[in-house]
Amino acid sequence: MIQHMINNHDKVVTRGLRDVAAAETKISFVDPLGTLYYLGYNIDALVEHVCYEEVVYLILYGKLPTKNELDELRSQLISEMQLPEAIVNSIKSFPLTSHPMEVLRTEVSHLSMYDPDPDYTSEQANRRRAIRLVAKVPTIVSTLHRLRTNQQLVAPSDEFGFPEHFLYLFRGKPADSEEKESIDRFMTLHADHGFNASTFAARVTASTNSDMYSAVTCAVGTLKGPLHGGASEKVMYMLDDINTEAEVEDYIQGMLDDQKKIMGFGHRVYRAEDPRTKHLREIAENLCHRTNTLNLYNLCIRIENVVHEKKKIFPNVDFYAAVTLNALGVPFEFFTPFFASSRVSGWTAHVMEQYKDAVLLRPSSRYVGEYGRPFVPIEKR
Ligand SMILES: CC(C)(COP(=O)(O)OP(=O)(O)OC[C@H]1O[C@@H](n2cnc3c(N)ncnc32)[C@H](O)[C@@H]1OP(=O)(O)O)[C@@H](O)C(=O)NCCC(=O)NCCS
């Protein structure tokens, strides 16, 4: 007993698991100096030269596809976008007050009951499952939005590429070429990001040999939090709160004085600017030009400067992602579901990698509670 207590107190706690490498991965590398790689490819090159479906292929198969492989994946994705009727009916049944991330979390879990090959756990079956999830998560999000706004559901068609398809199902009208490029780049930039909290949650679940739907359900729940993907929605509420550039300084100072976090800023890993920010800033600027909302873009630049002056921190992926989605006509509460609709490719790839690693992720803790408390029966407490 005494020996156990000594061992317990010797344990070193790494608060927040900061810098702890919990497993090896080949899927992505987040370089603190400000570079992001998917399977060894710099994200800057990918976002310029490949489409989101190529990124999905890269992440799920470990290599860039040939033209035929890409065509095949694209048609698989489009045909898998259709939801079982029970899922559509279930989405209709949720209270209007429920957050889209709550609905998404529930419906990803629900989808597992309609898996066509639930007993298969081979790599091929899991890859089919991954493609199914990559295809169906955006449809759940779009279906919810259409139903909530009393609009007709739009059937998937093979006329469009996958990201523009998502936007089409969501908004009910085809995207123009600039919108198409914007959503494609948005999804590419959100596809994977090392051992972020939601990916780690997915891997912990997969490490118990639980199924992929359970792992992705945990990931959706983890992404929802405002310290992770939930930040993008909060960014927009902040931007709504600040009316002019002249108000920025006082607003930010007020937040800092109240010890509040500025949403869309700071990062656990990057010590330089998040490499995704420059791309999203550019997309946001172009879209704001079109929608005549450059005042919003200029407000963002002012916030960036003030926050950097005061805290020496940079905007992260969520800051300009929020402005981008807003300019694409996506309501605030659907920002995090759009993030999830892209990150599901990374989550499913990590789940498969974790199955291969075949080790239970189960850390230890340092017990700081009491020992040997005298037991008192309930009637005497
Ligand atoms: C992402 C986040 C959780 C990382 O937290 P973390 O790893 O604990 O942050 P760090 O340890 O690097 O913070 C360093 C310093 O910057 C401050 N800081 C970090 N992010 C900040 C923010 N968004 N607003 C204000 N201050 C912030 C910290 O309080 C700390 O200050 P201190 O040294 O005076 O104590 C944090 O930056 C945050 O909450 N950001 C806002 C939410 C968000 O945008 N999330 C999306 C992430 S992609």
Side-chain angles (χ1 to χ4, degrees):
M1 163 82 168
I2 298 293
Q3 190 56 44
H4 286 156
M5 285 160 65
I6 292 169
N7 289 345
N8 172 59
H9 287 294
D10 277 351
K11 281 181 183 165
V12 178
V13 174
T14 305
R15 211 161 160 264
L17 301 179
R18 187 182 291 273
D19 291 330
V20 171
E24 293 185 339
T25 183
K26 288 184 175 166
I27 302 169
S28 61
F29 174 51
V30 179
D31 179 345
L33 297 179
T35 313
L36 172 61
Y37 300 88
Y38 294 166
L39 278 298
Y41 295 97
N42 190 319
I43 185 78
D44 291 345
L46 292 175
V47 80
E48 292 304 329
H49 301 297
V50 305
C51 62
Y52 173 68
E53 294 95 315
E54 283 174 271
V55 170
V56 172
Y57 193 98
L58 173 67
I59 288 177
L60 293 182
Y61 291 86
K63 69 170 195 89
L64 284 168
T66 61
K67 173 86 178 62
N68 282 348
E69 288 165 338
L70 177 62
D71 289 346
E72 197 182 321
L73 175 68
R74 190 173 279 140
S75 67
Q76 274 177 316
L77 285 171
I78 305 295
S79 68
E80 284 288 358
M81 284 183 106
Q82 197 78 41
L83 295 178
E85 209 182 318
I87 302 281
V88 177
N89 289 335
S90 164
I91 294 174
K92 283 181 188 159
S93 73
F94 292 120
L96 290 174
T97 48
S98 54
H99 191 280
M101 284 298 280
E102 292 178 293
V103 176
L104 182 60
R105 187 189 58 212
T106 307
E107 291 310 331
V108 167
S109 175
H110 193 181
L111 266 182
S112 74
M113 299 167 209
Y114 298 90
D115 191 291
D117 42 20
D119 297 330
Y120 292 95
T121 54
S122 66
E123 193 178 341
Q124 290 87 330
N126 276 320
R127 203 173 278 121
R128 285 198 297 276
R129 214 162 267 135
I131 291 170
R132 214 169 283 141
L133 276 158
V134 168
K136 285 182 168 42
V137 164
T139 318
I140 293 173
V141 172
S142 308
T143 302
L144 173 66
H145 173 60
R146 305 292 297 169
L147 292 173
R148 285 238 162 132
T149 48
N150 294 318
Q151 299 185 80
Q152 286 273 317
L153 293 183
V154 182
S157 97
D158 47 19
E159 210 179 311
F160 309 111
F162 184 72
E164 55 173 330
H165 219 116
F166 176 22
L167 213 49
Y168 171 63
L169 294 195
F170 190 86
R171 306 188 309 180
K173 57 172 187 182
D176 62 33
S177 61
E178 210 166 337
E179 290 174 328
K180 186 176 137 188
E181 193 187 321
S182 303
I183 190 67
D184 195 296
R185 296 173 106 205
F186 173 95
M187 293 186 84
T188 292
L189 292 165
H190 282 79
D192 197 48
H193 204 240
F195 268 40
N196 60 86
S198 56
T199 298
F200 185 55
R203 288 190 74 131
V204 169
T205 307
S207 82
T208 69
N209 284 346
S210 187
D211 65 287
M212 190 179 276
Y213 295 94
S214 298
V216 174
T217 303
C218 289
V220 173
T222 308
L223 184 74
K224 178 173 174 284
L227 295 190
H228 192 5
S232 54
E233 177 180 345
K234 305 274 184 220
V235 165
M236 224 48 220
Y237 293 123
M238 171 175 79
L239 295 176
D240 247 14
D241 260 1
I242 311 177
N243 296 309
T244 64
E245 286 178 57
E247 290 176 22
V248 169
E249 173 105 33
D250 285 351
Y251 185 93
I252 297 296
Q253 191 56 55
M255 297 271 290
L256 296 177
D257 290 346
D258 293 345
Q259 312 283 327
K260 288 190 180 145
K261 288 272 162 64
I262 317 294
M263 290 293 132
F265 280 85
H267 201 272
R268 171 56 65 84
V269 181
Y270 294 121
R271 292 296 150 239
E273 186 175 87
D274 182 325
R276 300 164 296 180
T277 300
K278 59 182 177 296
H279 299 292
L280 287 159
R281 190 191 285 114
E282 186 188 297
I283 299 168
E285 184 180 9
N286 289 340
L287 290 174
C288 284
H289 252 296
R290 290 162 42 108
T291 50
N292 249 336
T293 50
L294 263 185
N295 51 337
L296 184 66
Y297 176 76
N298 292 333
L299 191 68
C300 292
I301 297 289
R302 178 78 190 126
I303 294 173
E304 244 199 84
N305 291 335
V306 170
V307 174
H308 191 258
E309 236 168 64
K310 293 185 185 294
K311 288 296 295 184
K312 302 283 169 280
I313 52 174
F314 299 94
N316 57 49
V317 69
D318 289 305
F319 193 60
Y320 287 103
V323 186
T324 297
L325 292 177
N326 182 58
L328 287 172
V330 177
F332 301 178
E333 68 277 18
F334 280 91
F335 289 2
T336 317
F338 265 70
F339 187 157
S341 298
S342 322
R343 182 58 57 82
V344 62
S345 51
W347 289 332
T348 52
H350 278 272
V351 167
M352 291 193 287
E353 191 177 56
Q354 187 61 45
Y355 287 148
K356 270 198 188 148
D357 199 14
V359 62
L360 177 71
L361 290 173
R362 200 291 190 199
S364 173
S365 58
R366 179 147 65 103
Y367 177 68
V368 292
E370 295 178 50
Y371 294 90
R373 295 178 80 181
F375 172 74
V376 181
I378 194 160
E379 57 281 2
K380 296 212 171 136
R381 276 174 226 155

